[in-house]
Amino acid sequence: MIADRTLMIHEPFSVPSVRLALKPEGVPVGLLDGAWWPHSRNLLRELPALTDVLDLLWGSITHITVNPAHWPVIPRKVPVSGHVVKAGRFEPEQDRHLLLLHSHHGGNWTLLVIPPRATANAAARLMAAASGTPVHTARPLTAADDALEAMERSQPLREEERQSEGSETAAAMATSRGLPALTRSRGV
């Protein structure tokens, strides 16, 4: 029996979009080079889409390291478009919210990893903070955002009041604790 190829319907494979914010060129190098908001904690699924973007910008990504606190499975090698990325795990040495990347050309970068279940508002705040200046470390950024989220949940304010007062209160609270002040970003 000969199959008529015109009747065969193929559904295209859809790669998840990359939710990524990088520091613009010309911004001084700092502790973070940007932020990545993966759709899941599955490196085999998420890393290929990320490297598709970063390989063009930074050269072929060859190695990554993560803290296993948030990644249930860390394969030694992850196949990506055209090559393989070696994955390492560093528990005590590496902040659990970071992804360290190394390229074939010798470059090294650090991305804040935003939890997949983060709200769009929280992700937007963290991405803006991680890709802007001044740049802070991952732990204070996530702690300040957690404080802001907790305050938003505990205050029964109308949305307009929350937008105007929440950012001022969160900034004051974060600053009093020595954390960077994160503010609500609009248009996300």
Side-chain angles (χ1 to χ4, degrees):
M1 178 168 136
I2 299 174
D4 183 0
R5 290 187 180 179
T6 60
L7 297 177
M8 298 174 88
I9 299 173
H10 296 284
E11 289 186 34
F13 175 73
S14 176
V15 176
S17 62
V18 177
R19 300 181 294 189
L20 178 67
L22 300 174
K23 287 171 53 174
E25 287 193 35
V27 174
V29 176
L31 300 172
L32 295 172
D33 298 296
W36 175 44
W37 185 22
H39 296 274
S40 71
R41 292 291 186 180
N42 182 337
L43 277 175
L44 287 171
R45 179 174 178 242
E46 300 293 336
L47 195 60
L50 179 64
T51 59
D52 281 350
V53 173
L54 297 181
D55 284 356
L56 296 173
L57 298 172
W58 297 341
S60 183
I61 301 298
T62 57
H63 294 81
I64 64 158
T65 59
V66 295
N67 183 311
H70 291 303
W71 301 97
V73 176
I74 303 172
R76 290 180 185 248
K77 295 180 181 181
V78 179
V80 298
S81 299
H83 65 285
V84 173
V85 175
K86 294 180 183 176
R89 51 189 296 143
F90 292 100
E91 215 159 324
E93 298 91 6
Q94 185 172 330
D95 187 307
R96 62 186 179 166
H97 298 289
L98 294 181
L99 171 70
L100 304 179
L101 302 117
H102 313 280
S103 83
H104 176 69
H105 301 293
N108 298 304
W109 297 273
T110 304
L111 296 179
L112 171 70
V113 179
I114 299 169
R117 292 186 178 193
T119 65
N121 285 339
R125 286 190 300 268
L126 288 168
M127 290 179 118
S131 62
T133 55
V135 178
H136 304 284
T137 61
R139 207 167 271 138
L141 281 176
T142 54
D145 193 65
D146 289 345
L148 184 59
E149 287 289 319
M151 280 186 359
E152 287 178 347
R153 284 191 302 271
S154 67
Q155 294 177 349
L157 300 175
R158 292 190 328 254
E159 185 61 26
E160 303 86 36
E161 292 173 329
R162 195 174 15 236
Q163 285 180 352
S164 65
E165 294 175 15
S167 59
E168 294 168 11
T169 307
M173 184 176 163
T175 305
S176 70
R177 293 186 176 151
L179 300 172
L182 295 176
T183 58
R184 178 180 304 278
S185 62
R186 296 181 188 265
V188 177

mmCIF file of all heavy atoms in Angstrom, residues 40-83:
data_model
loop_
_atom_site.group_PDB
_atom_site.id
_atom_site.type_symbol
_atom_site.label_atom_id
_atom_site.label_comp_id
_atom_site.label_asym_id
_atom_site.label_seq_id
_atom_site.Cartn_x
_atom_site.Cartn_y
_atom_site.Cartn_z
ATOM 1 N N SER A 40 9.527 25.446 33.300
ATOM 2 C CA SER A 40 9.518 24.289 34.195
ATOM 3 C C SER A 40 10.908 24.123 34.807
ATOM 4 O O SER A 40 11.822 24.880 34.502
ATOM 5 C CB SER A 40 9.146 23.022 33.415
ATOM 6 O OG SER A 40 10.206 22.641 32.548
ATOM 7 N N ARG A 41 11.057 23.114 35.636
ATOM 8 C CA ARG A 41 12.352 22.781 36.246
ATOM 9 C C ARG A 41 12.990 21.593 35.516
ATOM 10 O O ARG A 41 13.742 20.826 36.093
ATOM 11 C CB ARG A 41 12.166 22.432 37.726
ATOM 12 C CG ARG A 41 11.757 23.609 38.573
ATOM 13 C CD ARG A 41 12.856 24.608 38.704
ATOM 14 N NE ARG A 41 12.476 25.665 39.648
ATOM 15 C CZ ARG A 41 13.268 26.655 39.943
ATOM 16 N NH1 ARG A 41 14.452 26.749 39.405
ATOM 17 N NH2 ARG A 41 12.871 27.582 40.786
ATOM 18 N N ASN A 42 12.711 21.451 34.235
ATOM 19 C CA ASN A 42 13.233 20.359 33.424
ATOM 20 C C ASN A 42 14.323 20.911 32.502
ATOM 21 O O ASN A 42 14.025 21.526 31.483
ATOM 22 C CB ASN A 42 12.094 19.740 32.614
ATOM 23 C CG ASN A 42 12.531 18.561 31.781
ATOM 24 O OD1 ASN A 42 13.694 18.402 31.444
ATOM 25 N ND2 ASN A 42 11.568 17.725 31.428
ATOM 26 N N LEU A 43 15.593 20.693 32.863
ATOM 27 C CA LEU A 43 16.700 21.229 32.068
ATOM 28 C C LEU A 43 16.719 20.679 30.645
ATOM 29 O O LEU A 43 17.065 21.401 29.715
ATOM 30 C CB LEU A 43 18.036 20.927 32.744
ATOM 31 C CG LEU A 43 18.464 21.883 33.844
ATOM 32 C CD1 LEU A 43 19.738 21.398 34.524
ATOM 33 C CD2 LEU A 43 18.657 23.289 33.323
ATOM 34 N N LEU A 44 16.351 19.421 30.479
ATOM 35 C CA LEU A 44 16.337 18.842 29.133
ATOM 36 C C LEU A 44 15.348 19.557 28.220
ATOM 37 O O LEU A 44 15.572 19.699 27.029
ATOM 38 C CB LEU A 44 16.001 17.351 29.184
ATOM 39 C CG LEU A 44 17.108 16.439 29.725
ATOM 40 C CD1 LEU A 44 16.584 15.030 29.934
ATOM 41 C CD2 LEU A 44 18.306 16.439 28.787
ATOM 42 N N ARG A 45 14.273 20.029 28.784
ATOM 43 C CA ARG A 45 13.253 20.729 27.997
ATOM 44 C C ARG A 45 13.561 22.216 27.845
ATOM 45 O O ARG A 45 13.343 22.807 26.793
ATOM 46 C CB ARG A 45 11.888 20.556 28.663
ATOM 47 C CG ARG A 45 10.789 21.272 27.919
ATOM 48 C CD ARG A 45 9.431 20.969 28.517
ATOM 49 N NE ARG A 45 8.430 21.718 27.778
ATOM 50 C CZ ARG A 45 7.664 22.643 28.301
ATOM 51 N NH1 ARG A 45 7.748 22.922 29.581
ATOM 52 N NH2 ARG A 45 6.798 23.288 27.570
ATOM 53 N N GLU A 46 14.052 22.845 28.892
ATOM 54 C CA GLU A 46 14.212 24.297 28.921
ATOM 55 C C GLU A 46 15.520 24.811 28.326
ATOM 56 O O GLU A 46 15.541 25.865 27.700
ATOM 57 C CB GLU A 46 14.090 24.803 30.368
ATOM 58 C CG GLU A 46 12.781 24.492 31.034
ATOM 59 C CD GLU A 46 11.595 25.231 30.431
ATOM 60 O OE1 GLU A 46 11.776 26.296 29.818
ATOM 61 O OE2 GLU A 46 10.472 24.726 30.578
ATOM 62 N N LEU A 47 16.609 24.097 28.536
ATOM 63 C CA LEU A 47 17.917 24.599 28.133
ATOM 64 C C LEU A 47 18.077 24.791 26.619
ATOM 65 O O LEU A 47 18.693 25.782 26.198
ATOM 66 C CB LEU A 47 19.029 23.708 28.690
ATOM 67 C CG LEU A 47 20.426 24.309 28.640
ATOM 68 C CD1 LEU A 47 20.510 25.591 29.437
ATOM 69 C CD2 LEU A 47 21.438 23.298 29.160
ATOM 70 N N PRO A 48 17.540 23.904 25.762
ATOM 71 C CA PRO A 48 17.718 24.121 24.321
ATOM 72 C C PRO A 48 17.175 25.462 23.822
ATOM 73 O O PRO A 48 17.827 26.141 23.022
ATOM 74 C CB PRO A 48 16.973 22.942 23.685
ATOM 75 C CG PRO A 48 17.069 21.863 24.704
ATOM 76 C CD PRO A 48 16.943 22.584 26.026
ATOM 77 N N ALA A 49 16.023 25.879 24.305
ATOM 78 C CA ALA A 49 15.468 27.167 23.873
ATOM 79 C C ALA A 49 16.339 28.321 24.367
ATOM 80 O O ALA A 49 16.553 29.305 23.642
ATOM 81 C CB ALA A 49 14.033 27.321 24.380
ATOM 82 N N LEU A 50 16.859 28.206 25.585
ATOM 83 C CA LEU A 50 17.728 29.250 26.122
ATOM 84 C C LEU A 50 19.025 29.350 25.322
ATOM 85 O O LEU A 50 19.451 30.443 24.950
ATOM 86 C CB LEU A 50 18.031 28.986 27.597
ATOM 87 C CG LEU A 50 18.960 29.984 28.283
ATOM 88 C CD1 LEU A 50 18.323 31.370 28.340
ATOM 89 C CD2 LEU A 50 19.323 29.496 29.678
ATOM 90 N N THR A 51 19.647 28.216 25.039
ATOM 91 C CA THR A 51 20.908 28.256 24.306
ATOM 92 C C THR A 51 20.722 28.693 22.856
ATOM 93 O O THR A 51 21.639 29.263 22.271
ATOM 94 C CB THR A 51 21.646 26.901 24.353
ATOM 95 O OG1 THR A 51 20.814 25.882 23.795
ATOM 96 C CG2 THR A 51 22.055 26.550 25.770
ATOM 97 N N ASP A 52 19.547 28.459 22.281
ATOM 98 C CA ASP A 52 19.291 28.954 20.924
ATOM 99 C C ASP A 52 19.472 30.467 20.871
ATOM 100 O O ASP A 52 20.005 31.011 19.905
ATOM 101 C CB ASP A 52 17.875 28.588 20.453
ATOM 102 C CG ASP A 52 17.761 27.152 19.988
ATOM 103 O OD1 ASP A 52 18.801 26.478 19.839
ATOM 104 O OD2 ASP A 52 16.612 26.701 19.785
ATOM 105 N N VAL A 53 19.043 31.155 21.906
ATOM 106 C CA VAL A 53 19.179 32.609 21.962
ATOM 107 C C VAL A 53 20.601 33.006 22.355
ATOM 108 O O VAL A 53 21.229 33.844 21.711
ATOM 109 C CB VAL A 53 18.165 33.217 22.959
ATOM 110 C CG1 VAL A 53 18.403 34.705 23.154
ATOM 111 C CG2 VAL A 53 16.745 32.947 22.502
ATOM 112 N N LEU A 54 21.119 32.386 23.416
ATOM 113 C CA LEU A 54 22.415 32.801 23.949
ATOM 114 C C LEU A 54 23.577 32.433 23.040
ATOM 115 O O LEU A 54 24.579 33.153 23.009
ATOM 116 C CB LEU A 54 22.615 32.226 25.347
ATOM 117 C CG LEU A 54 21.624 32.714 26.399
ATOM 118 C CD1 LEU A 54 21.924 32.092 27.751
ATOM 119 C CD2 LEU A 54 21.610 34.227 26.479
ATOM 120 N N ASP A 55 23.476 31.323 22.316
ATOM 121 C CA ASP A 55 24.550 30.943 21.394
ATOM 122 C C ASP A 55 24.794 32.034 20.355
ATOM 123 O O ASP A 55 25.930 32.297 19.965
ATOM 124 C CB ASP A 55 24.235 29.624 20.684
ATOM 125 C CG ASP A 55 24.440 28.402 21.563
ATOM 126 O OD1 ASP A 55 24.894 28.548 22.710
ATOM 127 O OD2 ASP A 55 24.135 27.288 21.097
ATOM 128 N N LEU A 56 23.738 32.676 19.909
ATOM 129 C CA LEU A 56 23.865 33.757 18.922
ATOM 130 C C LEU A 56 24.519 34.996 19.526
ATOM 131 O O LEU A 56 25.255 35.711 18.853
ATOM 132 C CB LEU A 56 22.496 34.120 18.350
ATOM 133 C CG LEU A 56 21.787 33.029 17.561
ATOM 134 C CD1 LEU A 56 20.369 33.466 17.212
ATOM 135 C CD2 LEU A 56 22.564 32.690 16.297
ATOM 136 N N LEU A 57 24.243 35.249 20.796
ATOM 137 C CA LEU A 57 24.758 36.450 21.452
ATOM 138 C C LEU A 57 26.146 36.263 22.048
ATOM 139 O O LEU A 57 26.983 37.166 21.977
ATOM 140 C CB LEU A 57 23.794 36.879 22.578
ATOM 141 C CG LEU A 57 22.383 37.254 22.158
ATOM 142 C CD1 LEU A 57 21.519 37.449 23.389
ATOM 143 C CD2 LEU A 57 22.409 38.516 21.311
ATOM 144 N N TRP A 58 26.366 35.131 22.668
ATOM 145 C CA TRP A 58 27.578 34.930 23.454
ATOM 146 C C TRP A 58 28.507 33.852 22.918
ATOM 147 O O TRP A 58 29.523 33.555 23.529
ATOM 148 C CB TRP A 58 27.198 34.577 24.896
ATOM 149 C CG TRP A 58 26.461 35.657 25.624
ATOM 150 C CD1 TRP A 58 26.409 36.983 25.317
ATOM 151 C CD2 TRP A 58 25.672 35.497 26.804
ATOM 152 N NE1 TRP A 58 25.648 37.657 26.225
ATOM 153 C CE2 TRP A 58 25.183 36.776 27.153
ATOM 154 C CE3 TRP A 58 25.345 34.415 27.600
ATOM 155 C CZ2 TRP A 58 24.385 36.992 28.267
ATOM 156 C CZ3 TRP A 58 24.541 34.634 28.710
ATOM 157 C CH2 TRP A 58 24.067 35.909 29.037
ATOM 158 N N GLY A 59 28.165 33.220 21.837
ATOM 159 C CA GLY A 59 28.951 32.089 21.352
ATOM 160 C C GLY A 59 28.389 30.813 21.930
ATOM 161 O O GLY A 59 27.586 30.824 22.853
ATOM 162 N N SER A 60 28.786 29.717 21.398
ATOM 163 C CA SER A 60 28.254 28.412 21.783
ATOM 164 C C SER A 60 28.411 28.143 23.282
ATOM 165 O O SER A 60 29.520 28.096 23.806
ATOM 166 C CB SER A 60 28.988 27.327 20.981
ATOM 167 O OG SER A 60 28.461 26.068 21.265
ATOM 168 N N ILE A 61 27.283 27.983 23.966
ATOM 169 C CA ILE A 61 27.304 27.660 25.400
ATOM 170 C C ILE A 61 27.727 26.201 25.532
ATOM 171 O O ILE A 61 27.119 25.307 24.938
ATOM 172 C CB ILE A 61 25.925 27.888 26.050
ATOM 173 C CG1 ILE A 61 25.466 29.338 25.881
ATOM 174 C CG2 ILE A 61 25.937 27.480 27.522
ATOM 175 C CD1 ILE A 61 26.354 30.381 26.522
ATOM 176 N N THR A 62 28.784 25.960 26.297
ATOM 177 C CA THR A 62 29.321 24.599 26.415
ATOM 178 C C THR A 62 29.089 23.975 27.786
ATOM 179 O O THR A 62 29.004 22.759 27.897
ATOM 180 C CB THR A 62 30.827 24.590 26.123
ATOM 181 O OG1 THR A 62 31.480 25.504 27.017
ATOM 182 C CG2 THR A 62 31.108 24.984 24.681
ATOM 183 N N HIS A 63 29.025 24.800 28.832
ATOM 184 C CA HIS A 63 28.861 24.297 30.199
ATOM 185 C C HIS A 63 27.877 25.176 30.959
ATOM 186 O O HIS A 63 27.862 26.390 30.769
ATOM 187 C CB HIS A 63 30.190 24.325 30.970
ATOM 188 C CG HIS A 63 31.227 23.408 30.446
ATOM 189 N ND1 HIS A 63 32.018 23.716 29.359
ATOM 190 C CD2 HIS A 63 31.608 22.176 30.844
ATOM 191 C CE1 HIS A 63 32.847 22.716 29.130
ATOM 192 N NE2 HIS A 63 32.621 21.770 30.011
ATOM 193 N N ILE A 64 27.133 24.552 31.843
ATOM 194 C CA ILE A 64 26.305 25.284 32.795
ATOM 195 C C ILE A 64 26.500 24.653 34.165
ATOM 196 O O ILE A 64 26.873 23.476 34.265
ATOM 197 C CB ILE A 64 24.799 25.259 32.443
ATOM 198 C CG1 ILE A 64 24.249 23.831 32.504
ATOM 199 C CG2 ILE A 64 24.542 25.898 31.101
ATOM 200 C CD1 ILE A 64 22.755 23.763 32.689
ATOM 201 N N THR A 65 26.256 25.429 35.196
ATOM 202 C CA THR A 65 26.215 24.862 36.541
ATOM 203 C C THR A 65 24.968 25.409 37.241
ATOM 204 O O THR A 65 24.576 26.556 37.026
ATOM 205 C CB THR A 65 27.464 25.204 37.381
ATOM 206 O OG1 THR A 65 27.595 26.610 37.483
ATOM 207 C CG2 THR A 65 28.712 24.593 36.783
ATOM 208 N N VAL A 66 24.366 24.553 38.038
ATOM 209 C CA VAL A 66 23.185 24.910 38.811
ATOM 210 C C VAL A 66 23.303 24.307 40.199
ATOM 211 O O VAL A 66 24.060 23.373 40.425
ATOM 212 C CB VAL A 66 21.876 24.397 38.150
ATOM 213 C CG1 VAL A 66 21.644 25.074 36.816
ATOM 214 C CG2 VAL A 66 21.882 22.894 37.991
ATOM 215 N N ASN A 67 22.536 24.851 41.121
ATOM 216 C CA ASN A 67 22.405 24.262 42.439
ATOM 217 C C ASN A 67 21.215 23.311 42.361
ATOM 218 O O ASN A 67 20.145 23.706 41.901
ATOM 219 C CB ASN A 67 22.155 25.357 43.477
ATOM 220 C CG ASN A 67 22.084 24.823 44.884
ATOM 221 O OD1 ASN A 67 21.382 23.864 45.169
ATOM 222 N ND2 ASN A 67 22.808 25.465 45.786
ATOM 223 N N PRO A 68 21.357 22.065 42.793
ATOM 224 C CA PRO A 68 20.267 21.091 42.655
ATOM 225 C C PRO A 68 19.044 21.343 43.530
ATOM 226 O O PRO A 68 18.060 20.619 43.420
ATOM 227 C CB PRO A 68 20.930 19.758 43.012
ATOM 228 C CG PRO A 68 22.116 20.110 43.815
ATOM 229 C CD PRO A 68 22.556 21.472 43.375
ATOM 230 N N ALA A 69 19.051 22.386 44.339
ATOM 231 C CA ALA A 69 17.904 22.656 45.211
ATOM 232 C C ALA A 69 16.611 22.830 44.419
ATOM 233 O O ALA A 69 15.545 22.461 44.888
ATOM 234 C CB ALA A 69 18.170 23.895 46.060
ATOM 235 N N HIS A 70 16.690 23.429 43.227
ATOM 236 C CA HIS A 70 15.489 23.682 42.427
ATOM 237 C C HIS A 70 15.403 22.835 41.166
ATOM 238 O O HIS A 70 14.443 22.969 40.407
ATOM 239 C CB HIS A 70 15.416 25.153 42.027
ATOM 240 C CG HIS A 70 15.144 26.073 43.176
ATOM 241 N ND1 HIS A 70 14.041 25.960 43.984
ATOM 242 C CD2 HIS A 70 15.851 27.109 43.659
ATOM 243 C CE1 HIS A 70 14.073 26.897 44.907
ATOM 244 N NE2 HIS A 70 15.167 27.610 44.733
ATOM 245 N N TRP A 71 16.390 22.001 40.915
ATOM 246 C CA TRP A 71 16.392 21.193 39.695
ATOM 247 C C TRP A 71 16.372 19.718 40.092
ATOM 248 O O TRP A 71 17.390 19.178 40.518
ATOM 249 C CB TRP A 71 17.629 21.519 38.852
ATOM 250 C CG TRP A 71 17.676 22.958 38.470
ATOM 251 C CD1 TRP A 71 18.366 23.954 39.091
ATOM 252 C CD2 TRP A 71 16.962 23.576 37.396
ATOM 253 N NE1 TRP A 71 18.127 25.145 38.461
ATOM 254 C CE2 TRP A 71 17.280 24.949 37.417
ATOM 255 C CE3 TRP A 71 16.090 23.096 36.413
ATOM 256 C CZ2 TRP A 71 16.749 25.850 36.494
ATOM 257 C CZ3 TRP A 71 15.577 24.003 35.506
ATOM 258 C CH2 TRP A 71 15.904 25.354 35.541
ATOM 259 N N PRO A 72 15.224 19.053 39.987
ATOM 260 C CA PRO A 72 15.114 17.668 40.449
ATOM 261 C C PRO A 72 16.022 16.701 39.690
ATOM 262 O O PRO A 72 16.525 15.744 40.263
ATOM 263 C CB PRO A 72 13.644 17.314 40.239
ATOM 264 C CG PRO A 72 13.095 18.351 39.340
ATOM 265 C CD PRO A 72 13.976 19.549 39.441
ATOM 266 N N VAL A 73 16.249 16.951 38.404
ATOM 267 C CA VAL A 73 17.122 16.093 37.597
ATOM 268 C C VAL A 73 18.124 16.984 36.879
ATOM 269 O O VAL A 73 17.734 17.929 36.191
ATOM 270 C CB VAL A 73 16.309 15.283 36.562
ATOM 271 C CG1 VAL A 73 17.235 14.478 35.666
ATOM 272 C CG2 VAL A 73 15.295 14.383 37.251
ATOM 273 N N ILE A 74 19.389 16.670 37.074
ATOM 274 C CA ILE A 74 20.444 17.417 36.382
ATOM 275 C C ILE A 74 21.250 16.412 35.560
ATOM 276 O O ILE A 74 22.119 15.715 36.081
ATOM 277 C CB ILE A 74 21.360 18.161 37.371
ATOM 278 C CG1 ILE A 74 20.530 19.093 38.249
ATOM 279 C CG2 ILE A 74 22.451 18.932 36.619
ATOM 280 C CD1 ILE A 74 21.297 19.720 39.381
ATOM 281 N N PRO A 75 20.935 16.325 34.264
ATOM 282 C CA PRO A 75 21.693 15.391 33.425
ATOM 283 C C PRO A 75 23.123 15.905 33.240
ATOM 284 O O PRO A 75 23.378 17.105 33.316
ATOM 285 C CB PRO A 75 20.924 15.418 32.099
ATOM 286 C CG PRO A 75 20.194 16.706 32.094
ATOM 287 C CD PRO A 75 19.937 17.072 33.523
ATOM 288 N N ARG A 76 24.043 15.002 33.010
ATOM 289 C CA ARG A 76 25.436 15.412 32.793
ATOM 290 C C ARG A 76 25.605 16.158 31.478
ATOM 291 O O ARG A 76 26.432 17.040 31.366
ATOM 292 C CB ARG A 76 26.365 14.213 32.823
ATOM 293 C CG ARG A 76 26.500 13.612 34.192
ATOM 294 C CD ARG A 76 27.438 12.419 34.161
ATOM 295 N NE ARG A 76 27.463 11.796 35.444
ATOM 296 C CZ ARG A 76 28.521 11.797 36.227
ATOM 297 N NH1 ARG A 76 29.624 12.382 35.848
ATOM 298 N NH2 ARG A 76 28.467 11.212 37.391
ATOM 299 N N LYS A 77 24.819 15.762 30.482
ATOM 300 C CA LYS A 77 24.885 16.396 29.166
ATOM 301 C C LYS A 77 23.469 16.673 28.674
ATOM 302 O O LYS A 77 22.588 15.843 28.821
ATOM 303 C CB LYS A 77 25.601 15.488 28.170
ATOM 304 C CG LYS A 77 27.063 15.266 28.518
ATOM 305 C CD LYS A 77 27.735 14.364 27.504
ATOM 306 C CE LYS A 77 29.187 14.144 27.885
ATOM 307 N NZ LYS A 77 29.871 13.297 26.918
ATOM 308 N N VAL A 78 23.295 17.848 28.087
ATOM 309 C CA VAL A 78 21.992 18.247 27.562
ATOM 310 C C VAL A 78 22.160 18.529 26.070
ATOM 311 O O VAL A 78 22.900 19.441 25.701
ATOM 312 C CB VAL A 78 21.452 19.504 28.277
ATOM 313 C CG1 VAL A 78 20.105 19.905 27.704
ATOM 314 C CG2 VAL A 78 21.360 19.273 29.781
ATOM 315 N N PRO A 79 21.480 17.745 25.211
ATOM 316 C CA PRO A 79 21.564 18.037 23.779
ATOM 317 C C PRO A 79 20.787 19.304 23.447
ATOM 318 O O PRO A 79 19.642 19.471 23.862
ATOM 319 C CB PRO A 79 20.934 16.810 23.118
ATOM 320 C CG PRO A 79 20.125 16.147 24.181
ATOM 321 C CD PRO A 79 20.675 16.576 25.501
ATOM 322 N N VAL A 80 21.457 20.208 22.741
ATOM 323 C CA VAL A 80 20.831 21.452 22.287
ATOM 324 C C VAL A 80 21.068 21.548 20.783
ATOM 325 O O VAL A 80 21.697 20.679 20.198
ATOM 326 C CB VAL A 80 21.397 22.679 23.044
ATOM 327 C CG1 VAL A 80 21.107 22.570 24.534
ATOM 328 C CG2 VAL A 80 22.865 22.852 22.802
ATOM 329 N N SER A 81 20.611 22.582 20.157
ATOM 330 C CA SER A 81 20.745 22.724 18.706
ATOM 331 C C SER A 81 22.205 22.694 18.268
ATOM 332 O O SER A 81 22.949 23.633 18.516
ATOM 333 C CB SER A 81 20.118 24.039 18.248
ATOM 334 O OG SER A 81 18.758 24.065 18.568
ATOM 335 N N GLY A 82 22.596 21.608 17.632
ATOM 336 C CA GLY A 82 23.929 21.510 17.048
ATOM 337 C C GLY A 82 25.057 21.111 17.960
ATOM 338 O O GLY A 82 26.175 20.905 17.492
ATOM 339 N N HIS A 83 24.847 20.989 19.247
ATOM 340 C CA HIS A 83 25.916 20.577 20.153
ATOM 341 C C HIS A 83 25.342 20.085 21.484
ATOM 342 O O HIS A 83 24.136 19.980 21.635
ATOM 343 C CB HIS A 83 26.930 21.712 20.363
ATOM 344 C CG HIS A 83 26.377 22.922 21.057
ATOM 345 N ND1 HIS A 83 25.551 23.835 20.451
ATOM 346 C CD2 HIS A 83 26.551 23.389 22.319
ATOM 347 C CE1 HIS A 83 25.233 24.799 21.297
ATOM 348 N NE2 HIS A 83 25.831 24.548 22.441
#
